[in-house]
């Protein structure tokens, strides 16, 4: 038996089984090198987030059945009652135990509030509120089978971290990108947020947590006069004087770092001072919108009052990505602006008009500058909206939050253009098949950047399999 064991061990070693285990046992963990793990398809990401939950059925997944069966309850249609589907409970978690019976089950079908048409060679149906983006239909990969597990606005954090609020908090996607790849421009942050308001629902979207504060998102103001709040050199202080101040601060921090070598906050502070000094020249230059031609300003809608805010934020995102910022998280609209519990038609018609031209302008601009080989654009929201009429508060013209099925889209580097992937059922209720949990978006972004989320893990911080997600390969070029 002993000789048999020796022979078996030799075979395992030859086949790499025992050798891999031995290598793993003796390997020492090291942080990422800052280089992609394999050939990347993208260098930078512009992540457009429409806060509040836009209605998928009134944007990028119109459902004629809602008009055909308007006013009926789900059980009076020829379709399976979606509330009885096993998917309903399997894809839902609530802080309140009875919320599944209270919040998102509104059985009276509410008709669509806008018309729609097919667009492009791909034939994607898009509602009439998106005439400019519709012209870009064949440059986009549409994913109509997203789902998440929180039906409250904490899902805004969840789509960026992958974690429900009942779970341990995880770093945001932008922080993982920063941690894995580092910077392409030493004078600018790797992870920037633009237009993101401070609220409990946005408290985690740019946080790095255990990766270290140096990997968290840096907020920039779209204000050419003061793009770095609290970071501008005070009047009466010369550049040389400030350089001397920073030099002294760095020396003092360096002395403290010798005494406290494991203090992550101190290390992050040292890096922050180094970067802040460099950013004082680089950030204002990146915000010089007047340097753009009139054609570009019109392309983003800077010449119109209702599109100017979104246009400036998206133009800022392009200029930052062009200058090597790895991950730009941008809010073209305000906090929870798309949250249409009441007056959905008025709300969505106005908001679509505000962002349609600027978002389409960004795609046209990225394309005409030859950046489609480098820049990945993602547009998403935290969840969709219910096919049924929201009846709380005597509601008569709105939809509630809907985590069971919604649409997001990708464009640019590494994306198969004009692709329509996944679907929801006839009423727009459930993402069909396995669908895609939000971390599949993360996995797709990381894959295109040349990163593997499993190889980014930190010792003693093992994540759930669900956290890693799976790249949506059907939309990859």
């Amino acid at each position: 038996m002993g000789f048999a064991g020796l022979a078996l061990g030799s075979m395992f070693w030859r086949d790499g089984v025992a050798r891999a285990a031995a290598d793993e046992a003796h390997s020492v963990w090291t942080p990422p090198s800052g280089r992609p793990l394999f050939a990347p398809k993208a260098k930078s990401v512009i992540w457009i987030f429409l806060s509040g939950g836009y209605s998928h059925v009134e944007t990028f997944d119109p459902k004629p059945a809602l008009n055909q069966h308007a006013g009926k309850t789900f059980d009076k249609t020829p379709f399976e009652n979606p509330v009885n589907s096993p998917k309903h409970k399997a894809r839902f978690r609530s802080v309140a135990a009875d919320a599944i019976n209270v919040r998102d089950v509104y059985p009276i079908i509410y008709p669509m509030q806008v018309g729609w048409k097919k667009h492009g060679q791909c034939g994607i149906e898009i509602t009439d509120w998106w005439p400019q983006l519709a012209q870009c239909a064949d440059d986009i990969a549409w994913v109509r089978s997203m789902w998440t597990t929180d039906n409250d606005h904490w899902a805004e954090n969840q789509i960026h971290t992958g974690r429900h609020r009942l779970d341990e908090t995880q770093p945001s996607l932008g922080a993982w990108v920063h941690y894995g790849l580092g910077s392409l421009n030493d004078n600018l942050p790797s992870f920037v947020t633009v237009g993101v308001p401070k609220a409990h629902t946005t408290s985690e979207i740019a946080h790095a947590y255990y990766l270290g504060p140096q990997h968290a998102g840096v907020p920039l103001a779209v204000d050419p006069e003061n793009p770095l709040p609290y970071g501008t050199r005070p009047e009466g202080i010369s550049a040389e004087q400030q350089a001397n101040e920073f030099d002294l601060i760095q020396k003092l921090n360096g002395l403290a770092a010798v005494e406290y070598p494991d203090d992550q906050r101190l290390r992050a502070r040292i890096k922050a001072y180094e970067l802040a000094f460099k950013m004082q020249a680089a950030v204002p230059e990146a915000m010089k919108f007047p340097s753009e031609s009139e054609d570009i300003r019109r392309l983003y809608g800077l010449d119109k009052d209702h599109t100017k805010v979104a246009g400036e934020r998206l133009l800022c995102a392009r200029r930052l990505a062009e200058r090597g910022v790895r991950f730009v998280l941008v809010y073209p609209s305000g906090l929870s602006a798309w949250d249409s519990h009441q007056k959905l038609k008025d709300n969505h018609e106005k908001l679509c008009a505000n962002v349609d031209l600027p978002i389409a302008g960004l795609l046209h601009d990225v394309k005409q500058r030859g950046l489609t080989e480098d820049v990945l654009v993602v547009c998403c929201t935290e969840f969709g909206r219910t096919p049924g009429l929201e009846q709380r508060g005597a509601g008569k013209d709105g939809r509630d939050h809907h985590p069971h099925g919604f649409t997001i889209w990708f464009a640019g580097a590494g994306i198969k253009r004009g692709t329509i992937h996944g679907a929801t059922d006839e009423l727009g209720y459930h993402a069909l098949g396995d669908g895609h949990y939000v971390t599949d978006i993360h996995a797709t972004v990381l894959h295109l950047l040349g990163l593997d989320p499993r190889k980014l893990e930190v010792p003693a911080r093992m994540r759930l399999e669900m956290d890693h997600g799976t790249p949506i390969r059907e939309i990859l070029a």
Side-chain angles (χ1 to χ4, degrees):
M1 293 297 292
F3 279 111
L6 288 173
L8 184 62
S10 177
M11 292 167 61
F12 278 160
W13 190 271
R14 183 193 64 205
D15 292 340
V17 178
R19 188 166 63 253
D23 290 345
E24 184 175 347
H26 291 91
S27 64
V28 177
W29 176 85
T30 56
S33 66
R35 296 187 296 273
L37 301 174
F38 47 88
K41 295 290 185 68
K43 293 181 181 177
S44 299
V45 179
I46 297 175
W47 179 281
I48 303 169
F49 190 78
L50 301 179
S51 173
Y54 56 71
S55 171
H56 55 300
V57 299
E58 266 100 11
T59 52
F60 312 123
D61 191 13
K63 295 294 179 181
L66 296 180
N67 294 347
Q68 296 166 10
H69 301 284
K72 297 179 183 178
T73 55
F74 293 144
D75 57 0
K76 299 299 182 183
T77 73
F79 315 119
E80 177 188 5
N81 188 334
V83 181
N84 297 332
S85 168
K87 290 182 172 64
H88 195 263
K89 290 186 177 179
R91 295 175 177 173
F92 184 88
R93 294 178 68 195
S94 177
V95 174
D98 63 346
I100 195 168
N101 299 316
V102 177
R103 275 305 301 266
D104 68 333
V105 182
Y106 291 104
I108 299 176
I109 295 172
Y110 187 50
M112 288 182 56
Q113 300 301 295
V114 62
W116 71 95
K117 302 180 186 69
K118 289 190 175 184
H119 293 273
Q121 294 296 315
C122 65
I124 180 78
E125 299 94 344
I126 302 175
T127 66
D128 297 341
W129 284 334
W130 296 86
Q132 302 300 323
L133 188 64
Q135 296 178 27
C136 305
D138 287 333
D139 290 325
I140 293 172
W142 310 85
V143 182
R144 284 174 157 176
S145 53
M146 296 304 306
W147 59 273
T148 189
T149 60
D150 196 330
N151 75 337
D152 214 337
H153 286 295
W154 193 263
E156 192 159 350
N157 286 318
Q158 185 177 14
I159 200 167
H160 293 92
T161 68
R163 282 298 186 103
H164 192 280
R165 59 183 153 171
L166 293 175
D167 298 326
E168 177 195 41
T169 302
Q170 288 289 320
S172 65
L173 174 60
W176 283 113
V177 171
H178 188 320
Y179 174 72
L181 289 178
S183 178
L184 286 169
N185 185 335
D186 291 338
N187 297 326
L188 288 169
S190 288
F191 177 17
V192 166
T193 67
V194 178
V196 178
K198 290 184 178 180
H200 77 285
T201 56
T202 63
S203 59
E204 298 180 358
I205 65 172
H207 213 299
Y209 286 96
Y210 57 77
L211 296 180
Q214 67 269 30
H215 300 295
V218 175
L220 294 184
V222 183
D223 179 359
E225 301 301 320
N226 187 25
L228 271 176
Y230 310 108
T232 305
R233 187 169 66 248
E235 289 187 17
I237 301 296
S238 70
E240 184 179 4
Q241 285 176 305
Q242 190 181 51
N244 290 336
E245 289 179 2
F246 273 84
D247 185 52
L248 176 60
I249 290 170
Q250 291 297 73
K251 288 178 180 177
L252 294 174
N253 283 335
L255 292 173
V258 173
E259 188 172 356
Y260 304 104
D262 297 324
D263 189 335
Q264 283 196 340
R265 288 177 297 179
L266 179 58
R267 291 204 305 272
R269 192 178 304 122
I270 292 172
K271 288 182 177 294
Y273 275 111
E274 291 173 349
L275 181 59
F277 186 69
K278 297 174 182 176
M279 285 169 61
Q280 290 189 32
V283 170
E285 189 279 328
M287 299 293 184
K288 283 184 179 177
F289 299 157
S291 66
E292 298 284 351
S293 70
E294 283 302 315
D295 288 343
I296 292 296
R297 295 171 65 81
R298 284 193 296 271
L299 186 66
Y300 283 86
L302 269 59
D303 58 331
K304 299 179 175 66
D305 289 342
H306 69 287
T307 54
K308 184 178 180 180
V309 170
E312 285 183 338
R313 291 176 181 179
L314 290 165
L315 177 55
C316 171
R318 188 270 287 167
R319 289 176 66 89
L320 291 170
E322 193 175 34
R323 286 158 174 75
V325 175
R326 288 283 191 183
F327 196 97
V328 185
L329 166 59
V330 56
Y331 273 50
S333 314
L335 179 68
S336 292
W338 297 79
D339 194 23
S340 303
H341 296 279
Q342 307 283 344
K343 298 182 179 180
L344 183 144
K345 182 180 181 188
D346 293 344
N347 175 275
H348 271 46
E349 188 171 27
K350 176 183 176 181
L351 289 170
C352 290
N354 291 348
V355 304
D356 175 42
L357 176 65
I359 293 176
L362 171 68
L363 297 186
H364 288 305
D365 197 17
V366 166
K367 189 174 183 179
Q368 71 186 12
R369 288 174 181 274
L371 296 174
T372 52
E373 300 302 314
D374 295 327
V375 178
L376 171 66
V377 179
V378 182
C379 183
C380 60
T381 189
E382 63 258 50
F383 39 51
R385 309 214 66 94
T386 53
L389 172 69
E390 178 166 356
Q391 297 166 281
R392 289 185 305 166
K396 59 182 180 180
D397 52 9
R399 304 185 190 275
D400 198 9
H401 310 160
H402 189 74
H404 305 286
F406 59 102
T407 300
I408 60 104
W409 55 261
F410 297 76
I415 294 299
K416 187 186 296 182
R417 302 175 184 178
T419 301
I420 307 170
H421 172 66
T424 52
D425 57 38
E426 292 88 348
L427 299 173
Y429 199 102
H430 287 297
L432 297 179
D434 292 334
H436 294 285
Y437 179 62
V438 295
T439 51
D440 287 355
I441 311 176
H442 300 189
T444 304
V445 170
L446 293 172
H447 176 80
L448 289 171
L449 291 169
L451 295 173
D452 180 347
R454 287 171 176 79
K455 294 183 179 179
L456 293 178
E457 285 192 330
V458 176
R461 292 287 185 175
M462 296 294 289
R463 292 187 288 161
L464 302 175
E465 186 62 26
M466 193 176 195
D467 293 331
H468 297 121
T470 303
I472 307 172
R473 297 192 180 276
E474 292 83 355
I475 68 168
L476 301 182

Short mmCIF file of all heavy atoms in Angstrom, two decimals, residues 362-380:
data_model
loop_
_atom_site.label_atom_id
_atom_site.label_comp_id
_atom_site.label_asym_id
_atom_site.label_seq_id
_atom_site.Cartn_x
_atom_site.Cartn_y
_atom_site.Cartn_z
N LEU A 362 -22.27 62.18 -26.53
CA LEU A 362 -21.07 61.50 -26.02
C LEU A 362 -20.69 60.33 -26.93
O LEU A 362 -19.52 60.18 -27.29
CB LEU A 362 -21.32 60.99 -24.61
CG LEU A 362 -20.24 60.07 -24.03
CD1 LEU A 362 -18.95 60.85 -23.79
CD2 LEU A 362 -20.71 59.41 -22.74
N LEU A 363 -21.68 59.52 -27.32
CA LEU A 363 -21.37 58.37 -28.19
C LEU A 363 -20.84 58.83 -29.54
O LEU A 363 -19.89 58.23 -30.07
CB LEU A 363 -22.61 57.50 -28.36
CG LEU A 363 -23.17 56.84 -27.10
CD1 LEU A 363 -24.31 55.88 -27.45
CD2 LEU A 363 -22.08 56.09 -26.34
N HIS A 364 -21.46 59.86 -30.13
CA HIS A 364 -20.95 60.38 -31.41
C HIS A 364 -19.53 60.92 -31.25
O HIS A 364 -18.67 60.70 -32.11
CB HIS A 364 -21.87 61.50 -31.91
CG HIS A 364 -23.20 61.03 -32.41
ND1 HIS A 364 -23.34 60.07 -33.41
CD2 HIS A 364 -24.46 61.40 -32.07
CE1 HIS A 364 -24.62 59.86 -33.66
NE2 HIS A 364 -25.33 60.66 -32.85
N ASP A 365 -19.28 61.62 -30.15
CA ASP A 365 -17.98 62.24 -29.93
C ASP A 365 -16.89 61.18 -29.73
O ASP A 365 -15.79 61.29 -30.30
CB ASP A 365 -18.06 63.15 -28.70
CG ASP A 365 -16.91 64.13 -28.62
OD1 ASP A 365 -16.23 64.34 -29.64
OD2 ASP A 365 -16.69 64.70 -27.53
N VAL A 366 -17.19 60.18 -28.92
CA VAL A 366 -16.23 59.09 -28.71
C VAL A 366 -15.91 58.41 -30.03
O VAL A 366 -14.74 58.09 -30.32
CB VAL A 366 -16.81 58.07 -27.69
CG1 VAL A 366 -16.01 56.78 -27.71
CG2 VAL A 366 -16.81 58.66 -26.29
N LYS A 367 -16.92 58.24 -30.86
CA LYS A 367 -16.73 57.57 -32.15
C LYS A 367 -15.90 58.42 -33.10
O LYS A 367 -14.94 57.94 -33.72
CB LYS A 367 -18.10 57.26 -32.76
CG LYS A 367 -18.06 56.38 -33.99
CD LYS A 367 -19.48 56.03 -34.42
CE LYS A 367 -19.49 55.09 -35.62
NZ LYS A 367 -20.88 54.72 -36.02
N GLN A 368 -16.21 59.71 -33.22
CA GLN A 368 -15.51 60.54 -34.19
C GLN A 368 -14.07 60.83 -33.76
O GLN A 368 -13.22 61.16 -34.60
CB GLN A 368 -16.28 61.85 -34.41
CG GLN A 368 -16.25 62.82 -33.26
CD GLN A 368 -17.16 64.03 -33.50
OE1 GLN A 368 -17.97 64.04 -34.42
NE2 GLN A 368 -17.01 65.07 -32.68
N ARG A 369 -13.77 60.70 -32.47
CA ARG A 369 -12.41 60.91 -31.99
C ARG A 369 -11.57 59.63 -32.03
O ARG A 369 -10.41 59.64 -31.61
CB ARG A 369 -12.44 61.46 -30.56
CG ARG A 369 -12.90 62.87 -30.46
CD ARG A 369 -13.07 63.36 -29.04
NE ARG A 369 -13.55 64.73 -29.03
CZ ARG A 369 -12.77 65.79 -29.11
NH1 ARG A 369 -11.47 65.66 -29.16
NH2 ARG A 369 -13.29 67.00 -29.12
N GLY A 370 -12.16 58.53 -32.47
CA GLY A 370 -11.43 57.27 -32.52
C GLY A 370 -11.21 56.66 -31.15
O GLY A 370 -10.28 55.85 -30.97
N LEU A 371 -12.06 57.03 -30.18
CA LEU A 371 -11.89 56.51 -28.83
C LEU A 371 -12.65 55.22 -28.57
O LEU A 371 -12.59 54.67 -27.47
CB LEU A 371 -12.34 57.57 -27.80
CG LEU A 371 -11.53 58.86 -27.76
CD1 LEU A 371 -12.18 59.86 -26.81
CD2 LEU A 371 -10.09 58.58 -27.33
N THR A 372 -13.37 54.73 -29.57
CA THR A 372 -14.15 53.51 -29.36
C THR A 372 -13.27 52.29 -29.12
O THR A 372 -13.76 51.27 -28.65
CB THR A 372 -15.08 53.24 -30.56
OG1 THR A 372 -14.30 53.27 -31.77
CG2 THR A 372 -16.19 54.26 -30.64
N GLU A 373 -12.00 52.39 -29.43
CA GLU A 373 -11.06 51.29 -29.15
C GLU A 373 -10.50 51.35 -27.75
O GLU A 373 -9.85 50.42 -27.29
CB GLU A 373 -9.91 51.30 -30.17
CG GLU A 373 -10.35 51.16 -31.62
CD GLU A 373 -11.14 49.89 -31.86
OE1 GLU A 373 -10.71 48.81 -31.38
OE2 GLU A 373 -12.20 49.97 -32.52
N ASP A 374 -10.74 52.47 -27.07
CA ASP A 374 -10.15 52.66 -25.74
C ASP A 374 -11.19 52.86 -24.63
O ASP A 374 -10.94 52.48 -23.48
CB ASP A 374 -9.23 53.89 -25.74
CG ASP A 374 -8.01 53.70 -26.62
OD1 ASP A 374 -7.53 52.55 -26.73
OD2 ASP A 374 -7.54 54.70 -27.20
N VAL A 375 -12.31 53.47 -24.95
CA VAL A 375 -13.28 53.89 -23.93
C VAL A 375 -14.54 53.03 -23.99
O VAL A 375 -15.16 52.88 -25.05
CB VAL A 375 -13.65 55.37 -24.09
CG1 VAL A 375 -14.70 55.78 -23.05
CG2 VAL A 375 -12.41 56.25 -23.97
N LEU A 376 -14.90 52.46 -22.86
CA LEU A 376 -16.13 51.69 -22.70
C LEU A 376 -17.17 52.58 -22.03
O LEU A 376 -16.89 53.21 -21.01
CB LEU A 376 -15.87 50.45 -21.84
CG LEU A 376 -17.08 49.63 -21.39
CD1 LEU A 376 -17.77 48.98 -22.58
CD2 LEU A 376 -16.67 48.59 -20.36
N VAL A 377 -18.37 52.64 -22.58
CA VAL A 377 -19.46 53.43 -22.01
C VAL A 377 -20.54 52.46 -21.51
O VAL A 377 -20.95 51.55 -22.23
CB VAL A 377 -20.07 54.40 -23.04
CG1 VAL A 377 -21.22 55.19 -22.41
CG2 VAL A 377 -19.01 55.34 -23.59
N VAL A 378 -20.96 52.66 -20.26
CA VAL A 378 -22.03 51.86 -19.67
C VAL A 378 -23.12 52.81 -19.20
O VAL A 378 -22.82 53.83 -18.57
CB VAL A 378 -21.53 51.03 -18.46
CG1 VAL A 378 -22.66 50.16 -17.90
CG2 VAL A 378 -20.34 50.17 -18.86
N CYS A 379 -24.37 52.50 -19.50
CA CYS A 379 -25.50 53.31 -19.03
C CYS A 379 -26.46 52.40 -18.27
O CYS A 379 -26.91 51.38 -18.81
CB CYS A 379 -26.22 53.97 -20.20
SG CYS A 379 -27.58 55.06 -19.67
N CYS A 380 -26.75 52.77 -17.02
CA CYS A 380 -27.59 51.89 -16.20
C CYS A 380 -28.38 52.69 -15.17
O CYS A 380 -28.24 53.91 -15.05
CB CYS A 380 -26.74 50.83 -15.51
SG CYS A 380 -25.45 51.50 -14.42
#
